[in-house]
Amino acid sequence: FLLALLNSNQVWEYLGSVCPKLPNGALMLQTPHILNIPIPPASEADRDALSEIARMCLEKRGQNVRLEEAEINRRVAALYGA
């Protein structure tokens, strides 16, 4: 569940708003920023579904996972109320 959440567009948008940026545009991820990522409440069914989709992405080694990533983003956005 957390792997899917941490790789979602919503979490990266949050990190982009709170993390300093390096000269090359990369985010300077620091422990306090990571620890303060808001984790939305999720039912067991939502957690299981996101965990399974993340597992599928890992099994595919990140190749051809556009549909899975879109589903993660859709589900995570719903958890955040977007």
Side-chain angles (χ1 to χ4, degrees):
F1 167 73
L2 287 177
L3 181 60
L5 189 76
L6 292 173
N7 282 289
S8 70
N9 287 343
Q10 291 74 20
V11 168
W12 281 100
E13 287 174 18
Y14 166 79
L15 290 171
S17 72
V18 298
C19 293
K21 293 179 182 55
L22 298 171
N24 66 358
L27 298 178
M28 190 163 67
L29 299 175
Q30 297 172 327
T31 301
H33 302 120
I34 302 301
L35 292 175
N36 288 312
I37 293 171
I39 307 298
S43 68
E44 186 174 343
D46 286 331
R47 287 175 177 264
D48 289 347
L50 283 164
S51 296
E52 181 56 31
I53 298 167
R55 195 173 355 269
M56 290 170 22
C57 290
L58 290 172
E59 288 173 2
K60 292 182 172 185
R61 299 180 183 252
Q63 301 296 313
N64 300 313
V65 293
R66 190 167 36 108
L67 295 175
E68 289 87 349
E69 289 175 342
E71 182 65 11
I72 286 172
N73 289 326
R74 185 188 70 73
R75 287 176 177 266
V76 171
L79 292 177
Y80 282 113

